[in-house]
Amino acid sequence: MSKKHPIISVTGSSGAGTTTIKSTFDQIFRREGIKAVSIEGDAFHRYDRAAMKAELDTRKAAGDMTFSHFSYDANILDKLEDVFREYGETGGGKTRHYVHDTVEAERYGAEPGTFTDWEAFESGSDLLFYEGLHGAVKNDEVDIAGKADLKIGVVPVINLEWIQKIHRDKASRGYTTEAVTDVILRRMHAYVHCICPQFTQTDINFQRVPVVDTSNPFIARWIPTADESLVVIRFRDPRGIDFPYLTTMIHDSWMSRANSIVIPGGKLDLAMQLIFTPMVKRLVHESKRA
């Protein structure tokens, strides 16, 4: 970690709410006049779309039914760690973009399913913001978690994760429920061994919990809305967190444990604004002093 060049890392799936948290941080950066460099976890996939399909076929032929984008070896995590290290030391680094669809293809000038070229960060940034699946990995090969100054986990309970995955892939990719189920089963090993352990490394976790029946996610007709959900916010170190202020400012919130607060799902953006604004300002203030 470097006080001079701070790094904020958000780990979780897009269905978990990382899109919301990215939007919230963009608002904070804009309001506070903070220049942030943003990088995406997809940029550090090891394979483009065609190469990933070929690798999946090879793994299946060899009897490996657990390989997915969640897996450590499907990503260049040593490169991601190097980027974190370089930014922490110098404020510099490089990233690229994974092109998901035709809209992004027009924006980046590359075919869907491919990567853009690596490009250097703009100079003079105040902090680095990462959002992806592996921003808090710590294993025998890499310690990405140790390179970040503020680590945030965003994850729904598992049945809600599956409902969101099924609905998203059926709507945007034309998959059948059976095809999405196969993907879910293939990802489970890496989810348990690669994704879940990261949430013990994070400083703050946001977990969305539906308050409607999600017993069988494979037949759910709708994704539970924010108003049909609660969000559990857990602080690894609650010292310095003003819980009475948060429960006063966030209507219908309460403390469930000494380090946790529960809020209505519709208050997620407000909670993030209240929690992260002073943290971001403190990181930038300390970096300028350093």
Side-chain angles (χ1 to χ4, degrees):
M1 296 187 292
S2 169
K3 286 189 175 181
K4 191 172 183 181
H5 305 289
I7 299 171
I8 298 174
S9 173
V10 178
T11 300
S13 65
S14 57
T18 54
T19 303
T20 299
I21 202 169
K22 175 66 165 60
S23 174
T24 299
F25 270 98
D26 284 343
Q27 293 178 49
I28 294 173
F29 298 152
R30 183 169 53 252
R31 185 178 63 241
E32 302 299 331
I34 294 168
K35 182 178 179 181
V37 172
S38 293
I39 60 175
E40 304 158 352
D42 290 352
F44 298 86
H45 287 334
R46 188 176 301 277
Y47 307 101
D48 63 17
R49 188 171 295 165
M52 184 64 177
K53 184 178 184 304
E55 183 67 18
L56 280 170
D57 291 341
T58 300
R59 299 280 183 128
K60 288 179 181 178
D64 180 1
M65 306 301 291
T66 66
F67 184 69
S68 74
H69 280 123
F70 286 11
S71 306
Y72 290 147
D73 53 345
N75 299 272
I76 45 176
L77 298 183
D78 55 341
K79 176 69 173 179
L80 178 58
E81 184 182 31
D82 288 343
V83 171
F84 275 31
R85 180 187 295 109
E86 181 178 355
Y87 188 85
E89 293 173 353
T90 70
K94 291 183 178 180
T95 191
R96 61 181 179 179
H97 297 281
Y98 177 78
V99 182
H100 294 87
D101 50 36
T102 55
V103 174
E104 292 187 357
E106 292 184 7
R107 183 189 311 164
Y108 296 120
E111 291 297 316
T114 66
F115 298 103
T116 63
D117 294 332
W118 292 97
E119 294 184 357
F121 297 157
E122 291 186 20
S123 61
S125 62
D126 296 310
L127 56 82
L128 175 66
F129 182 87
Y130 166 92
E131 179 264 310
L133 288 170
H134 299 95
V137 171
K138 182 177 182 181
N139 58 27
D140 294 337
E141 284 75 41
V142 297
D143 183 10
I144 297 170
K147 308 296 186 299
D149 299 273
L150 175 60
K151 298 176 290 292
I152 304 160
V154 187
V155 59
V157 294
I158 193 69
N159 278 23
L160 177 56
E161 173 90 18
W162 291 347
I163 290 172
Q164 292 173 322
K165 173 69 175 171
I166 291 167
H167 281 253
R168 185 173 64 249
D169 282 5
K170 289 175 68 175
S172 63
R173 300 177 181 174
Y175 288 7
T176 63
T177 299
E178 292 73 21
V180 185
T181 303
D182 287 342
V183 174
I184 290 172
L185 291 173
R186 177 163 49 82
R187 287 181 170 182
M188 281 307 298
H189 182 273
Y191 186 81
V192 171
H193 294 281
C194 303
I195 304 300
C196 287
Q198 296 183 72
F199 299 119
T200 63
Q201 303 293 329
T202 45
D203 301 301
I204 307 173
N205 283 338
F206 293 79
Q207 185 170 43
R208 184 179 165 199
V209 182
V211 290
V212 293
D213 184 20
T214 60
S215 303
N216 187 349
F218 303 100
I219 63 168
R221 298 177 63 185
W222 297 281
I223 299 174
T225 66
D227 289 336
E228 295 173 326
S229 306
L230 299 173
V231 176
V232 180
I233 308 172
R234 186 274 281 171
F235 298 83
R236 184 169 65 173
D237 183 359
R239 289 177 298 179
I241 303 300
D242 192 342
F243 287 106
Y245 170 74
L246 292 175
T247 53
T248 299
M249 294 295 292
I250 305 171
H251 186 61
D252 288 335
S253 64
W254 73 93
M255 291 186 66
S256 57
R257 286 187 175 177
N259 65 342
S260 301
I261 182 174
V262 181
I263 67 168
K267 300 293 185 179
L268 178 59
D269 179 70
L270 173 61
M272 289 180 173
Q273 294 276 356
L274 293 171
I275 293 167
F276 291 129
T277 297
M279 291 183 175
V280 171
K281 290 173 69 175
R282 183 166 60 250
L283 282 174
V284 173
H285 175 69
E286 290 178 354
S287 73
K288 293 185 183 299
R289 289 183 60 188

